[in-house]
Amino acid sequence: MAHLKSAFLLVLGIFSTVLGQTNITGLAPKQFLSLPLGSILPTGWLHDQLMLQTNGLAGNEHLFYDYVSDTDWIGGDSFYSTAEEGKFNGMVPNGVLANNSGIIQRTQELLDYVLANQDSTGWMGPEVNTTKPRFLWGRYPFMFGAIQMVENNPDLTDKVVAALYKFVTLANAMIKNNEGLDEWSEARWQDFVITLQWLYDFHPDGNEDLLLDTMLQLKSTGLPWELVFDPQWHGVNIAESLKAFPAAYRFTHNQSDLDNASAAWDILFQYHGRPSGIFGADEYLAGMEAVRGTELCIVVETMFSGSYLYQVTGDPKYVDRVERIAYNALPAELTGDFWSRQYLQQQNQIAAKNMNPPYSNVFGLEPNYPCCTVNHPQGWPKFITNAFVTTADQSSLAQVYLGPFQTTTTLTTGNPVTVTVNTIYPFSDSLNTTITATKAFTYYVRIPSWVVNGTISINDGSSTPLSPKNGLQAVQASAGTTVFILNLPAEVTTESRPHGSIAVHRGPLHYAFDKYVLVPRNSSVLTDNAQQPLAQDLELDATAVWQYAIDPTTLQFVNNPPTSGTLPSPVFDSGLPPLSMTVTACPIDWPEAGDTFVTSPPTNPACTGTQTTIALTPYGAAKLRISEFPVFTAQ
Ligand SMILES: *[C@@H]1O[C@H](CO)[C@@H](O)[C@H](O)[C@H]1NC(C)=O
Ligand SMILES: *[C@@H]1O[C@H](CO)[C@@H](O)[C@H](O)[C@H]1NC(C)=O
Ligand SMILES: *[C@@H]1O[C@H](CO)[C@@H](O)[C@H](O)[C@H]1NC(C)=O
Ligand SMILES: *[C@@H]1O[C@H](CO)[C@@H](O)[C@H](O)[C@H]1NC(C)=O
Ligand SMILES: *[C@@H]1O[C@H](CO)[C@@H](O)[C@H](O)[C@H]1NC(C)=O
Ligand SMILES: *[C@@H]1O[C@H](CO)[C@@H](O)[C@H](O)[C@H]1NC(C)=O
Ligand SMILES: *[C@@H]1O[C@H](CO)[C@@H](O)[C@H](O)[C@H]1NC(C)=O
Ligand SMILES: *[C@@H]1O[C@H](CO)[C@@H](O)[C@H](O)[C@H]1NC(C)=O
């Protein structure tokens, strides 16, 4: 257990603070800058995901779902309940990217309401004119939403920036008075720091000292490393705190903060990583076992943290992992129609049932806790918003996440550019990119670390091998139109997992045995929401034999590209993705633990029947699955 403890210590050492050693001379630049919300739009299958989300729970919950009753700090006020729990933070980009007038109107009402009710001290929130204690954290997700609205609509700048400065001035005084710092505020201090850095970068208005001082105050009152021993400590805080070292680096200018960010990331995934890309933490960090769970909030917060880490550091390992999480762990935890979500997902998940308690494993409206209901909507929209960045000097544009997108921006050289990426990636290796620009510039595209024998063909030229530097392939775009085709093949690979088991990958996708692939889904409805019958709680149960060992030497990749060129909608559901694998398998004894969980994969199991061939499908489409397999040698 010693190594686990040191992993805890390093990851949670994020919160230890070394104050007074820093000569603050401003903020260190980021390596890459994000584009304003709305500059990057999804197309093709990714647009379909966004519309499914918009037509599902994420896009409708503000109409029927109030989490007021479940929390006291919101004070029974539905405006604040929506603004402060993270719902607003996801609704803002969802509404804009889907161009959904209902969501856009509602986010505008929420913003107006919160700002109109800011009191003379600068406080915003349900505590205005009450004696309720004031804690800072509820404002952090609200401020993230407000920033995104300003980026999308600069007309809001003056009003929002003025309100934020009133609040920052108050918060600075409160922190110095040791006020406003509850457990969440202390654990999530970096989220406030990132808002302060946004003000510093874009609207400093002579307030640099106030902003830097507040950043230092937040870091110095952030959770100390000793809290690793606090039983309240949990996975979502870790997912969010992955931003703490890079956020601190910008004002400490201390390379050791970036080194620690990198080491914390590596150790977290070394000891708790999942083949789906995410880490295991069913409340607390969970180790490697395939039945230990991962909360949906951890999935979306780690994606957002990884995007930020990349923008500060430029290290491609962060975004390689975010892309894996987005294309595997994220869709696995939601039904294809986005109406039901889990609280906890497992790599080996033979059922999704009410274990009475906990309720964490069913797909539903708010299984176990409501937090992921209101927090999950940020997942796809923020992935889309961070899919392109500019270089720090804003003279170049880079595609960071591979998939179908359209981006329009103006580079600093007075160069309006549009980039259209036509692809069904990750369900194909090929991406067709069209760039239009007024002036020549260097364009970059990320080449994932798993690509083998990748090629590029520019303007119908011959295919030439890729030559990425630090994960980015440079493409010289000329004035006018440049078209290039990327081909990004990958080998079928296996990953060692506990008990001698293996997981299967090819490129960005992880593959699983989908128990529903040959039989109709057997789902039973536990509960309906009274106001929204589509918001169902579903139990899924085994209907097919799943007790197999596989021979990894027999894995064969199968590509059945859609004849229409278009993927089905949804694509992340049973039997629908065009990619699969076949593998030789044999039946084995593999006991269940109760009627819900599978035990650990047996090591070197004996075959109990004749060999057969089974198909593996992308993990995100397999809502019940085995994805860490015992191994045998086929005859
Ligand atoms: C960062 O890592 C160094 C070792 O490289 C360690 O001495 C230091 O305590 C770490 N800082 C934090 C805040 O964890
Ligand atoms: C940078 O951080 C390290 C480890 O946390 C610390 O020992 C060192 O004093 C810091 N350097 C500066 C210039 O603050
Ligand atoms: C902080 O850095 C600035 C700029 O490098 C320098 O002029 C100043 O003397 C430093 N202050 C201290 C207290 O080291
Ligand atoms: C967004 O929708 C409105 C109508 O609600 C339409 O006028 C506008 O052109 C749309 N914008 C985009 C970018 O599609
Ligand atoms: C708070 O109370 C003051 C004084 O009664 C009043 O002017 C103000 O409108 C109230 N603010 C809110 C948000 O209710
Ligand atoms: C790539 O896209 C461009 C623009 O849509 C199109 O003209 C071209 O035929 C496409 N190339 C391939 C190989 O699909
Ligand atoms: C890469 O090229 C080598 C040599 O031609 C070949 O053996 C290998 O199968 C290729 N791998 C992929 C994934 O294309
Ligand atoms: C489907 O699930 C129900 C309830 O969980 C169960 O009674 C039934 O036997 C299952 N049907 C099949 C085909 O497995």
Side-chain angles (χ1 to χ4, degrees):
M1 293 308 284
H3 59 286
L4 279 183
K5 193 160 159 192
S6 56
F8 260 92
L9 286 177
L10 182 50
V11 168
L12 300 168
I14 284 167
F15 301 107
S16 90
T17 44
V18 186
L19 204 62
Q21 295 177 0
T22 311
N23 179 358
I24 293 191
T25 53
L27 289 186
K30 294 165 137 185
Q31 299 295 311
F32 296 107
L33 306 179
S34 56
L35 298 174
L37 171 62
S39 316
I40 305 162
L41 296 174
T43 60
W45 77 266
L46 195 52
H47 179 258
D48 182 61
Q49 285 291 293
L50 183 74
M51 295 318 290
L52 288 164
Q53 153 162 344
T54 306
N55 296 327
L57 179 56
N60 283 283
E61 60 184 74
H62 68 283
L63 299 173
F64 74 96
Y65 177 69
D66 229 336
Y67 148 36
V68 172
S69 57
D70 292 298
T71 176
D72 356 280
W73 88 74
I74 299 302
D77 185 315
S78 74
F79 271 97
Y80 290 116
S81 128
T82 308
E84 299 192 347
E85 292 149 358
K87 207 192 274 186
F88 181 63
N89 180 25
M91 274 173 81
V92 170
N94 191 354
V96 169
L97 298 181
N99 196 22
N100 181 293
S101 57
I103 301 176
I104 291 170
Q105 186 189 332
R106 180 65 177 159
T107 53
Q108 187 65 51
E109 285 168 10
L110 290 162
L111 181 78
D112 292 345
Y113 182 90
V114 173
L115 298 189
N117 290 290
Q118 184 170 32
D119 75 12
S120 58
T121 68
W123 189 258
M124 300 182 282
E127 301 84 3
V128 166
N129 285 357
T130 73
T131 55
K132 285 170 69 68
R134 297 178 165 191
F135 296 112
L136 295 173
W137 175 70
R139 272 28 55 156
Y140 303 174
F142 166 74
M143 292 192 285
F144 277 162
I147 289 173
Q148 295 176 85
M149 287 182 70
V150 170
E151 292 195 342
N152 180 245
N153 178 5
D155 291 348
L156 298 171
T157 306
D158 291 351
K159 174 167 139 168
V160 171
V161 168
L164 291 182
Y165 272 121
K166 274 199 255 173
F167 181 73
V168 172
T169 306
L170 172 69
N172 182 286
M174 286 173 66
I175 299 166
K176 286 180 174 160
N177 258 341
N178 199 25
E179 292 165 13
L181 299 169
D182 65 338
E183 181 200 341
W184 298 113
S185 310
E186 290 172 1
R188 297 172 178 186
W189 59 272
Q190 74 286 328
D191 285 16
F192 193 7
V193 167
I194 287 170
T195 292
L196 299 170
Q197 293 180 348
W198 178 83
L199 287 168
Y200 192 105
D201 289 340
F202 299 107
H203 307 286
D205 306 340
N207 296 297
E208 288 88 341
D209 290 349
L210 169 71
L211 294 169
L212 286 169
D213 185 55
T214 312
M215 291 177 214
L216 269 182
Q217 296 299 328
L218 284 163
K219 182 170 186 282
S220 71
T221 53
L223 287 187
W225 68 268
E226 287 88 341
L227 274 199
V228 66
F229 300 113
D230 184 330
Q232 290 301 311
W233 206 213
H234 80 357
V236 182
N237 280 345
I238 292 172
E240 296 187 13
S241 73
L242 292 166
K243 302 190 286 305
F245 276 126
Y249 163 76
R250 293 201 65 205
F251 59 89
T252 64
H253 303 258
N254 191 339
Q255 178 63 31
S256 98
D257 283 322
L258 296 188
D259 297 344
N260 287 12
S262 175
W265 180 271
D266 291 348
I267 288 173
L268 179 61
F269 291 102
Q270 181 180 353
Y271 293 105
H272 307 280
R274 294 288 180 272
S276 67
I278 195 60
F279 62 91
D282 34 21
E283 301 308 331
Y284 314 118
L285 287 175
M288 303 295 263
E289 288 288 342
V291 293
R292 295 295 298 273
T294 297
E295 196 176 324
L296 181 54
C297 287
I298 292 176
V299 171
V300 298
E301 292 290 356
T302 303
M303 288 169 60
F304 182 54
S305 292
S307 292
Y308 179 76
L309 274 156
Y310 181 69
Q311 289 165 19
V312 174
T313 67
D315 186 338
K317 77 176 173 187
Y318 299 116
V319 281
D320 272 7
R321 185 172 287 282
V322 172
E323 191 174 289
R324 270 193 196 289
I325 297 171
Y327 292 157
N328 297 281
L330 177 60
E333 209 153 358
L334 288 145
T335 51
D337 67 2
F338 281 80
W339 269 106
S340 301
R341 59 91 183 154
Q342 283 182 300
Y343 183 69
L344 297 175
Q345 70 172 291
Q346 304 157 290
Q347 283 284 148
N348 284 352
Q349 180 166 283
I350 58 162
K353 286 195 196 175
N354 183 5
M355 290 170 274
N356 203 16
Y359 195 63
S360 55
N361 210 212
V362 301
F363 285 83
L365 171 63
E366 51 175 7
N368 220 27
Y369 288 105
C371 54
C372 298
T373 306
V374 297
N375 198 15
H376 84 270
Q378 69 166 296
W380 284 116
K382 290 199 180 180
F383 177 74
I384 292 162
T385 302
N386 290 294
F388 287 77
V389 294
T390 66
T391 48
D393 66 3
Q394 291 175 280
S395 68
S396 285
L397 183 66
Q399 182 174 13
V400 175
Y401 298 128
L402 302 184
F405 293 98
Q406 176 158 350
T407 308
T408 301
T409 192
T410 299
L411 299 173
T412 34
T413 44
N415 190 10
V417 302
T418 296
V419 178
T420 305
V421 184
N422 197 347
T423 184
I424 58 169
Y425 181 97
F427 303 104
S428 150
D429 298 341
S430 171
L431 296 94
N432 180 350
T433 302
T434 302
I435 304 169
T436 59
T438 305
K439 300 176 184 169
F441 74 105
T442 304
Y443 178 79
Y444 295 96
V445 56
R446 174 178 142 267
I447 306 302
S449 56
W450 51 77
V451 170
V452 175
N453 303 339
T455 61
I456 185 167
S457 152
I458 303 177
N459 292 334
D460 290 329
S462 57
S463 291
T464 54
L466 294 170
S467 50
K469 291 200 177 55
N470 209 16
L472 294 177
Q473 173 73 33
V475 179
Q476 299 311 322
S478 46
T481 301
T482 306
V483 178
F484 70 92
I485 312 287
L486 282 176
N487 190 34
L488 305 179
E491 306 282 4
V492 174
T493 59
T494 59
E495 175 186 350
S496 295
R497 301 298 300 170
H499 312 289
S501 67
I502 57 158
V504 178
H505 301 273
R506 183 184 178 280
L509 295 179
H510 166 44
Y511 287 78
F513 178 56
D514 181 343
K515 295 173 53 188
Y516 285 127
V517 80
L518 298 173
V519 291
R521 165 158 297 174
N522 189 18
S523 57
S524 56
V525 177
L526 287 177
T527 39
D528 275 324
N529 181 275
Q531 291 160 62
Q532 177 46 273
L534 293 169
Q536 294 179 336
D537 284 11
L538 303 173
E539 281 193 318
L540 309 186
D541 202 1
T543 55
V545 174
W546 49 266
Q547 294 93 336
Y548 289 111
I550 64 171
D551 180 345
T553 64
T554 64
L555 282 161
Q556 297 277 349
F557 175 62
V558 181
N559 182 2
N560 282 315
T563 45
S564 63
T566 310
L567 293 167
S569 168
V571 64
F572 283 114
D573 215 338
S574 197
L576 297 178
L579 306 182
S580 60
M581 303 243 186
T582 58
V583 67
T584 304
C586 79
I588 57 168
D589 286 330
W590 188 351
E592 293 182 26
D595 70 343
T596 306
F597 285 143
V598 58
T599 54
S600 299
T603 306
N604 299 323
C607 292
T608 57
T610 45
Q611 275 176 212
T612 179
T613 299
I614 62 171
L616 310 184
T617 60
Y619 175 90
K623 311 304 171 184
L624 292 187
R625 63 206 159 235
I626 295 294
S627 56
E628 296 186 17
F629 295 92
V631 176
F632 85 113
T633 303
Q635 301 303 310

